[in-house]
Amino acid sequence: MLVFQLAIILLASKIAGDVSVRLGQPSVLGKLLIGIVLGPSVLGLVHDTEILEELSQIGVILLMFIAGLETDIDEFKRTGKASSFVGIGGIILPLLVGYGSGILLNLSSIESWFLGLLLSATSVSISVQALKEMNRLKSREGATILGAAVIDDVVVIIALAFLMSMAGGDVHLGAMILKKVIFFAGAILIGWKIVPFILKRFAPLRVTEAVISAALIICFMYAYLAEYAGVAAIIGAYIAGVAISVTSYKHEVFEKVETISYSIFVPVFFTSIGVSAQFSGIAENIGLIVSLSIVAILTKLVGASLGAKVSGFGWRSSLGIGAAMVSRGEVALIISAIGLESNLLSQDLFAVIVVVVLITTIVTPPMMKWLFTKQGQVKSNA
């Protein structure tokens, strides 16, 4: 059954991606939409199984690892201030408006803050693919978006720990913050001193693809340790990619990992997002879904764009950066699941949030395409 589903996913995602590009949109949009068609909601050819979910997780980890490999460290350093403004701007507005929305929905104060925090989350895995397709991943905007994603993840997770401790959950705020500090300090130190040593030690081994295997070991260990520390696994994978990007093995690792990733794992990740969509009960909550989707899109777009503008970007670039931060992706879904388990989200509101997250994910690539393409036209006409 799994091999059949993989064959269907790979065939459909490649064709859908090609059709999307021919229609002037990023290929990732077609891959997301075809997942909905293949899934239980439409054709029922592919089901959201545990194995498929694990393959999807590998796909998003490898996607962010590749983004790290392509990161220009000097550009990343130069955009530190801009990333901070974008990350914080993209948190404050969704947090406040989300809280207000919760109050209007007659949620308690703590539930309303949780909703605001949920809407503050971001996941740039989809945006990374759109940036790659537009050759903007290595640009100043691309570096700012990736830096802002790291800041967003750290701030939101720490705020979540604080909120859960207030809600009476079994969360030790000091311990959680300490774990994150230790992770980032250790990740940077290991990336600086130990990662190059490991690659050099593996390179002479008389086995096939020793360097690539070493790089993947580093990637997966970083992802695991990040998740263990309460940081998203994709952030750990991204940092691992950055660590390898400053070594002499960068190009060899990039070329072969990209081949492995885009042959099977990344298409599974994009398609599985659509496959996992559940549309039962949407009709009863369509008004709420539309309202929260508008709030989710506009607050992140405006908040992050204002942060980019304050840090010195032009309006078109600022809006493009804001659009890239709109997708909530797997980060918001994880937080939603925590809310459901802790009774901070009702079952009905959880189902609504899942659809809202899917909508933010689907609208992000075409928004980025339109804004960044327009920016390119303005530059070329100047």
Side-chain angles (χ1 to χ4, degrees):
M1 187 63 177
L2 175 63
V3 290
F4 172 73
Q5 291 192 353
L6 287 177
I8 293 294
I9 287 172
L10 293 177
L11 174 64
S13 67
K14 296 300 180 183
I15 294 173
D18 179 70
V19 170
S20 186
V21 171
R22 291 175 187 274
L23 294 174
Q25 296 300 323
S27 68
V28 64
L29 179 62
K31 294 171 185 176
L32 291 170
L33 293 175
I34 199 65
I36 297 173
V37 175
L38 293 175
S41 301
V42 183
L43 296 179
L45 292 175
V46 179
H47 296 276
D48 189 23
T49 63
E50 190 175 334
I51 296 177
L52 206 60
E53 198 174 307
E54 294 296 333
L55 290 174
S56 171
Q57 178 71 357
I58 294 172
V60 69
I61 286 171
L62 290 176
L63 180 64
M64 293 304 292
F65 180 57
I66 291 168
L69 288 169
E70 290 193 273
T71 296
D72 183 332
I73 287 291
D74 293 330
E75 187 66 59
F76 195 75
K77 290 176 182 175
R78 284 195 292 270
T79 58
K81 175 185 171 184
S83 295
S84 299
F85 278 117
V86 171
I88 299 301
I91 289 172
I92 292 174
L93 194 58
L95 178 64
L96 296 178
V97 177
Y99 171 78
S101 301
I103 296 298
L104 290 174
L105 291 171
N106 295 319
L107 301 181
S108 69
S109 182
I110 197 83
E111 290 170 340
S112 298
W113 281 121
F114 183 84
L115 178 61
L117 199 58
L118 176 59
L119 294 178
S120 302
T122 197
S123 175
V124 295
S125 50
I126 299 298
S127 304
V128 162
Q129 180 60 24
L131 287 167
K132 279 175 67 69
E133 292 180 23
M134 294 184 287
N135 293 317
R136 286 193 172 265
L137 189 58
K138 297 179 184 179
S139 66
R140 184 174 171 231
E141 291 89 348
T144 299
I145 290 162
L146 287 165
V150 175
I151 291 165
D152 186 293
D153 183 74
V154 173
V155 173
V156 167
I157 293 299
I158 290 174
L160 177 65
F162 181 73
L163 187 70
M164 295 299 289
S165 66
M166 288 179 62
D170 185 23
V171 176
H172 301 286
L173 183 61
M176 285 199 73
I177 294 174
L178 181 61
K179 280 170 69 176
K180 288 164 182 54
V181 170
I182 292 172
F183 167 74
F184 280 104
I188 293 168
L189 181 62
I190 291 169
W192 178 31
K193 294 291 186 182
I194 300 177
V195 166
F197 174 78
I198 292 172
L199 292 172
K200 283 178 185 175
R201 286 292 181 184
F202 263 75
L205 295 183
R206 285 177 280 185
V207 291
T208 308
E209 304 295 358
V211 171
I212 309 307
S213 295
L216 290 174
I217 291 167
I218 292 165
C219 168
F220 293 141
M221 284 305 298
Y222 263 75
Y224 168 75
L225 291 172
E227 202 159 69
Y228 179 77
V231 180
I234 58 175
I235 300 299
Y238 175 71
I239 295 172
V242 172
I244 294 174
S245 75
V246 297
T247 70
S248 58
Y249 302 99
K250 170 183 176 177
H251 298 293
E252 180 186 357
V253 172
F254 172 77
E255 288 176 9
K256 293 185 177 177
V257 170
E258 187 178 47
T259 301
I260 295 168
S261 305
Y262 282 89
S263 297
I264 179 166
F265 294 107
V266 173
V268 169
F269 163 61
F270 290 137
T271 308
S272 68
I273 293 173
V275 169
S276 62
Q278 298 290 334
F279 295 104
S280 57
I282 280 187
E284 295 84 356
N285 295 301
I286 191 70
L288 181 57
I289 289 170
V290 171
S291 301
L292 281 182
S293 296
I294 292 171
V295 166
I297 293 166
L298 289 183
T299 53
K300 186 65 84 168
L301 176 66
V302 173
S305 297
L306 287 175
K309 180 62 180 172
V310 168
S311 63
F313 283 97
W315 272 117
R316 183 65 67 172
S317 286
S318 297
L319 288 168
I321 290 168
M325 301 296 289
V326 166
S327 174
R328 301 314 198 275
E330 71 283 355
V331 177
L333 292 177
I334 291 168
I335 295 174
S336 299
I338 292 171
L340 185 63
E341 290 171 14
S342 307
N343 296 317
L344 292 173
L345 281 183
S346 66
Q347 186 66 52
D348 286 346
L349 188 53
F350 173 78
V352 167
I353 292 295
V354 169
V355 178
V356 170
V357 169
L358 179 64
I359 291 169
T360 64
T361 303
I362 289 173
V363 301
T364 294
M367 284 171 60
M368 291 176 65
K369 173 82 172 180
W370 184 73
L371 287 164
F372 280 122
T373 302
K374 285 288 184 181
Q375 182 201 13
Q377 289 173 356
V378 170
K379 283 184 177 179
S380 65
N381 292 334

